[in-house]
Amino acid sequence: MQLSELWFILIAFMFTLFFVLEGFDFGVGTVAKYLGKNDYEKRVYLNTIGPFWDANEVWLISAGAAMFAAFPHWYATLFSGYYIAFVFMLLALIIRGVAFEFRGKVEHPTWRKVWDWAIFLGSSIPPILWGVALTNFMTGVPIDENKEMLGGFLQLLHPFALLGGVMFLLLCIVHGLQFISIRTEGELKERAKKTSRRFAPLALIVLLAFAVVGLLKTDIFTAHGTAWIALPLFAWGALLFSSILNVKNRDGWAFFFTSLTMLLLVASVFIGLFPRVMISTLGAANDLTVYNASSGDYSLKVMSYVSLTIIPFVLAYQGWSYYVFRERLKGKDDLEY
């Protein structure tokens, strides 16, 4: 295996971990405003992700930094071509983070209402934009022979990409509701479970439609053989199993299968891309690949030694934090926001 191939795998791993972990954060932030009937209930829902949301975002930063160092041409083309979308996403994430910290600072209904809206928008906009971005990774964008992406932001908003945005938002909502079910108890848990049962059928329909259109319009699911069609089908099946387990009150397993849905779906996109990192609609000769978009061997070698030493510690620390905060929220002493 070449070092450029290894770094593609590492970046795909970081992005996949980000979508699995931050996915439920986005979902909780999206539903908390409407799921909570009063300020106390909203605080409980938001505090289910209190110890985790900022650490989960580390994987996005790590993936972006790794892309910059390992694949500078990929980074330059992606962040210049998707500039407007990423600015909106970054602003949404900033507003969301500020809202988490500021919401509980003033005991006034208007103050908290403003920050509740900020959390809702900051949590719902990013998954829509990520869905649009992932869909455009699948369909490709116009990249010329100079590795520059042509056109503007509006060309990214074609119907299939919008379907991808809706699909990813629905997945995050169901994922977040299942996370709430393992972090709360009583009426708050039951309300989240019932809401998940309403959203899950819609998510199943939209995910199936996305997979079918993706199969017809792109080569992502068949680039390495038709057997890889199994990945998006398994993702759909995992979501279906999660819905069944929700009804059977198997909360932990239901959350596991929504996590598996996110993992399989994102993994199918990266596997289908390889060895490409960005597809050009102007011809395969203009595709960016792990070979023509990577840094030199020396840079990749040094990065490999450093990263493969640090990543296990980051994973261990984050796993430990989830273990420490594994208990369900039970009282006002658990609340912060």
Side-chain angles (χ1 to χ4, degrees):
M1 177 185 294
Q2 297 186 24
L3 287 176
S4 58
E5 296 171 344
L6 172 64
W7 272 97
F8 177 83
I9 293 172
L10 287 175
I11 291 171
F13 168 77
M14 293 176 192
F15 271 119
T16 302
L17 201 58
F18 167 74
F19 288 129
V20 172
L21 298 178
E22 191 69 3
F24 67 74
D25 286 349
F26 289 146
V28 173
T30 301
V31 302
K33 173 176 167 43
Y34 297 100
L35 204 60
K37 295 182 177 180
N38 52 51
D39 182 67
Y40 171 74
E41 292 183 352
K42 292 176 183 177
R43 290 181 65 200
V44 173
Y45 287 133
L46 291 175
N47 276 268
T48 60
I49 59 173
F52 312 120
W53 68 270
D54 48 354
N56 293 341
E57 290 183 356
V58 166
W59 294 108
L60 175 62
I61 299 171
S62 299
M67 186 187 297
F68 172 78
F71 299 99
H73 295 298
W74 182 13
Y75 180 92
T77 303
L78 178 65
F79 279 81
S80 60
Y82 287 67
Y83 180 77
I84 300 298
F86 285 154
V87 166
F88 283 131
M89 189 182 303
L90 181 61
L91 289 175
L93 291 174
I94 291 173
I95 291 171
R96 176 172 170 263
V98 171
F100 281 141
E101 298 300 329
F102 278 28
R103 185 185 184 278
K105 300 301 182 183
V106 176
E107 295 286 342
H108 193 282
T110 302
W111 173 271
R112 292 192 169 178
K113 185 177 180 180
V114 168
W115 294 117
D116 284 342
W117 273 106
I119 292 172
F120 170 77
L121 294 174
S123 299
S124 58
I125 291 175
I128 293 174
L129 293 175
W130 275 119
V132 169
L134 285 174
T135 306
N136 279 282
F137 286 162
M138 296 169 62
T139 59
V141 290
I143 301 173
D144 64 18
E145 64 278 3
N146 297 317
K147 298 184 176 65
E148 294 183 2
M149 180 175 154
L150 308 178
F153 173 64
L154 293 180
Q155 74 174 350
L156 302 177
L157 303 179
H158 50 85
F160 182 36
L162 295 177
L163 175 65
V166 173
M167 177 273 301
F168 204 71
L169 175 61
L170 288 172
L171 287 184
C172 287
I173 289 174
V174 174
H175 193 32
L177 289 167
Q178 295 296 350
F179 183 74
I180 289 174
S181 72
I182 65 173
R183 289 280 291 152
T184 57
E185 55 186 16
E187 172 62 23
L188 298 183
K189 181 183 81 168
E190 292 305 316
R191 193 182 308 154
K193 288 165 65 68
K194 290 177 182 177
T195 305
S196 178
R197 292 168 195 163
R198 297 191 187 103
F199 275 97
L202 183 57
L204 283 165
I205 293 171
V206 176
L207 176 57
L208 183 60
F210 177 82
V212 171
V213 176
L215 181 61
L216 296 175
K217 291 182 66 70
T218 77
D219 69 345
I220 290 296
F221 303 137
T222 57
H224 304 295
T226 55
W228 291 99
I229 297 174
L231 279 182
L233 291 179
F234 284 152
W236 188 87
L239 185 59
L240 178 61
F241 271 120
S242 175
S243 304
I244 296 172
L245 291 166
N246 179 300
V247 175
K248 293 181 177 296
N249 296 315
R250 303 293 297 274
D251 301 332
W253 280 107
F255 175 70
F256 169 80
F257 276 103
T258 56
S259 301
L260 187 61
T261 299
M262 303 287 280
L263 186 153
L264 290 173
L265 185 63
V266 177
S268 67
V269 174
F270 279 103
I271 290 172
L273 274 176
F274 183 84
R276 304 163 298 185
V277 292
M278 290 189 75
I279 299 172
S280 174
T281 57
L282 302 181
N286 294 333
D287 289 347
L288 298 185
T289 69
V290 296
Y291 310 113
N292 66 17
S294 67
S295 296
D297 287 341
Y298 180 76
S299 298
L300 294 177
K301 186 176 181 179
V302 173
M303 289 170 55
S304 298
Y305 286 131
V306 175
S307 299
L308 293 177
T309 302
I310 294 176
I311 287 178
F313 289 99
V314 177
L315 288 170
Y317 169 78
Q318 194 161 20
W320 175 252
S321 70
Y322 276 91
Y323 176 78
V324 170
F325 294 102
R326 67 190 182 280
E327 299 293 336
R328 298 177 186 267
L329 297 179
K330 297 179 180 178
K332 292 186 177 180
D333 292 340
D334 296 321
L335 304 185
E336 177 184 359
Y337 300 131

